[in-house]
Amino acid sequence: MKNITDSFLCLSYWPSAGSFGFDTDILATNLINLSVVLGVLIFFGKGVLSDLLDNRKQRILRTIRNSEELREGAIEQLEKARARLRKVETEADRFRVNGYSEIEREKLNLINSINTTLEQLENYKNETIRFEQQKAIHQVQQRVLQQALRGALGTLNSSLNNELHLRTISANIGMFGAMKDKKN
């Protein structure tokens, strides 16, 4: 301990002018050296450290401003996107309502078209049935007429003889002659 107190005493004792020497007390000289180094560092390093801190502060402020601008831009884009979403949802609802209305209209039009087509097919069917009935009736009438003519010809051929045949021809010629005289 004596060395420590001696070194403090040594601080108060200054050797006479013109003498220069080395102090072998490490603790006393280290404190002095450290205080000198710290004083020099603070004096000269204060500007550099201050500049570094100011630059860092400016970068942080720029980053914050940029972040704020980006945040504001993002909020603005978000609001625009929300507005577009609301618009699209409104249009989708309108299309949905119009789509359902259009589907109902198309459904009714299709039902009406099918009913019209069914009525037309029913009419065509009825016309075809009437036509086929008339055709069948006409064919039956033709066959009945042919059979009646064959029967009449058969009866005439079997009951006609030459004399009856000549009398029929004479009567017909007489009728034609009478008609001719009437016209003149």
Side-chain angles (χ1 to χ4, degrees):
M1 270 309 231
K2 185 172 185 200
N3 287 341
I4 294 175
T5 57
D6 287 341
S7 62
F8 286 116
L9 291 175
C10 198
L11 286 175
S12 60
Y13 170 74
W14 289 91
S16 65
S19 75
F20 184 75
F22 289 107
D23 189 5
T24 57
D25 189 8
I26 293 175
L27 289 178
T29 56
N30 277 342
L31 284 176
I32 293 170
N33 287 338
L34 280 175
S35 32
V36 169
V37 168
L38 283 176
V40 169
L41 280 177
I42 290 173
F43 181 75
F44 290 110
K46 181 171 78 173
V48 173
L49 186 61
S50 167
D51 288 344
L52 286 174
L53 289 175
D54 284 342
N55 287 340
R56 179 72 177 147
K57 180 181 174 183
Q58 293 302 322
R59 275 188 284 168
I60 290 172
L61 289 175
R62 267 196 310 268
T63 304
I64 289 172
R65 273 194 299 268
N66 288 341
S67 297
E68 285 294 320
E69 289 173 2
L70 289 174
R71 181 180 164 271
E72 289 172 5
I75 288 172
E76 187 176 313
Q77 287 179 348
L78 178 64
E79 289 301 318
K80 286 180 183 178
R82 284 181 179 161
R84 281 194 307 258
L85 177 64
R86 284 189 297 270
K87 182 180 176 184
V88 166
E89 285 175 344
T90 304
E91 286 183 23
D93 289 340
R94 185 174 51 90
F95 284 138
R96 192 175 304 118
V97 169
N98 288 343
Y100 289 142
S101 298
E102 185 67 27
I103 288 171
E104 287 298 318
R105 274 195 301 273
E106 288 297 322
K107 182 175 136 183
L108 289 175
N109 288 342
L110 184 61
I111 289 170
N112 290 337
S113 174
I114 289 172
N115 285 338
T116 303
T117 303
L118 286 175
E119 287 175 9
Q120 288 175 346
L121 288 173
E122 186 69 26
N123 290 339
Y124 291 148
K125 179 188 82 166
N126 291 337
E127 286 178 22
T128 303
I129 289 172
R130 277 193 298 270
F131 176 74
E132 290 298 324
Q133 284 175 344
Q134 288 175 354
K135 185 177 171 184
I137 290 171
H138 182 67
Q139 286 175 350
V140 169
Q141 286 175 344
Q142 289 291 328
R143 285 187 186 162
V144 168
L145 183 62
Q146 285 175 354
Q147 287 176 355
L149 282 177
R150 276 191 217 124
L153 280 175
T155 304
L156 279 176
N157 284 338
S158 66
S159 63
L160 276 183
N161 55 21
N162 274 338
E163 182 182 325
L164 187 59
H165 193 65
L166 286 175
R167 261 193 292 159
T168 305
I169 291 175
S170 296
N172 282 336
I173 290 175
M175 280 182 14
F176 281 129
M179 283 200 306
K180 193 175 179 185
D181 288 339
K182 268 187 179 178
K183 280 189 180 179
N184 287 334

